Amino acid sequence: MLVPADKFRALRRAHADGRQAGMWDALIRAAAANAIAPISGFRVGAVGVGASGAVYAGVNMEFPGVPLSASVHAEQFLVVNALQHGETALRYIAVSAAPCGHCRQFMAELNEVEELRISFGGTPPLSLDQLLPHRFRPSDLLGSGPGLRPLLSGNLKAGGPGSSSDPAPDEALAAVDSSLDPGVLELTQAALAAAARCHAPYSLCRSGVALRLGAELAGPAVSGGYVESVAYNPSLGPLQCALVCMRLRGHADWSRIEEVVLVEDRQASVSQEAVTAATLRAIAPRARLHIVHPR
Ligand SMILES: [Zn+2]
């Protein structure tokens, strides 16, 4: 669900004779085939070009047995995909259907959003100002000072003012109960790293999730960090972001999840524990959830 920059340049050259619309349609259709929409049956595909020139795909994911608010929209998936690959900004997004209000607000978090253009259903490229004028902006809560650190800025640490004193993942791991099972400790390290990269500039409540499907899942741990929206409700929880990572690795059977670690501060005013546990009970009843408070 990623097209590297050199391959995308070749693809563009191959469609340089006025067939660009056909190229985007083909990319969107290929993305939408990976959607998981057991509730609506409505598959959404999105593709986005990053500042690096790479192309990222996004799809919608729905989870039976939990509230619809747990759903991941295609545009959100695309942003998390870009984030997972270290992208610093998005320049163009094409979607198979009109972006909903929730996604328009979510995209307000993006770095250099004024450069972003969005099209859907044959529209010309539109700016977010055209799609969501007079919106509630990150600067409405944080002001426009140096603490404002947009999503995909390439400089995400704790995601907000006052974050520089937060411990690095390794430092925080030292404060974790060392009697934990080695496998859980490994997942804890991945969840701490995801929490360190998360975007929580409004609540300053960082959190991350790492999960393991079973012995057959090789490679780095599947993980995701919380992504917050200035309008609060379009925020994407760390479990959802980890499930995006799992989908990117080609997996769609959530019931195969065996072990999950959620890392968050003990006294956090925004806790992911209850919603993570409820979602896992519905989609992965065999999964063991470990809550780790690093300090
Ligand atoms: Zn949406």
Side-chain angles (χ1 to χ4, degrees), residues 21-40:
M23 179 194 73
W24 289 112
D25 285 347
L27 286 170
I28 289 170
R29 269 199 309 277
N34 293 293
I36 304 173
I39 299 171
S40 69

Side-chain angles (χ1 to χ4, degrees), residues 148-214:
L148 187 63
R149 202 179 277 165
L151 184 57
L152 295 183
S153 67
N155 190 27
L156 292 180
K157 291 290 183 201
S163 60
S164 58
S165 61
D166 288 319
D170 286 346
E171 224 175 288
L173 190 65
V176 166
D177 182 359
S178 58
S179 66
L180 285 173
D181 171 88
V184 175
L185 263 181
E186 196 183 315
L187 281 183
T188 301
Q189 192 154 24
L192 279 166
R197 291 192 308 269
C198 85
H199 178 67
Y202 312 109
S203 71
L204 300 181
C205 296
R206 296 182 300 160
S207 57
V209 158
L211 55 89
R212 181 181 295 119
L213 278 76

Side-chain angles (χ1 to χ4, degrees), residues 44 60 72-76 95 97-104 106-107:
V44 184
N60 57 324
V72 177
H73 295 214
E75 297 89 330
Q76 291 179 308
V95 198
C100 71
H102 177 101
C103 287
R104 296 180 194 205
F106 186 80
M107 287 188 280

Side-chain angles (χ1 to χ4, degrees), residues 63-128:
F63 306 103
V66 291
L68 290 174
S69 56
S71 306
V72 177
H73 295 214
E75 297 89 330
Q76 291 179 308
F77 187 116
L78 189 161
V79 169
V80 174
N81 187 358
L83 193 62
Q84 293 253 359
H85 288 91
E87 191 60 70
T88 57
L90 288 166
R91 298 292 185 233
Y92 178 63
I93 295 177
V95 198
S96 59
C100 71
H102 177 101
C103 287
R104 296 180 194 205
Q105 182 67 59
F106 186 80
M107 287 188 280
E109 300 299 316
L110 290 172
N111 194 32
E112 300 173 12
V113 71
E114 61 284 353
E115 305 292 324
L116 174 66
R117 294 295 177 269
I118 302 152
S119 68
F120 49 93
T123 66
L126 301 165
S127 68
L128 193 60

Side-chain angles (χ1 to χ4, degrees), residues 231-252:
Y232 284 15
N233 297 71
S235 300
L236 206 53
L239 177 62
Q240 271 87 348
C241 294
L243 295 176
V244 167
C245 181
M246 186 173 154
R247 189 75 192 99
L248 288 171
R249 302 267 291 270
H251 300 283

Side-chain angles (χ1 to χ4, degrees), residues 252-269:
D253 181 0
W254 316 125
S255 70
R256 291 177 58 207
I257 300 171
E258 290 185 356
E259 214 85 59
V260 181
V261 169
L262 164 67
V263 165
E264 64 179 5
D265 289 335
R266 190 181 297 278
Q267 303 297 339
S269 57

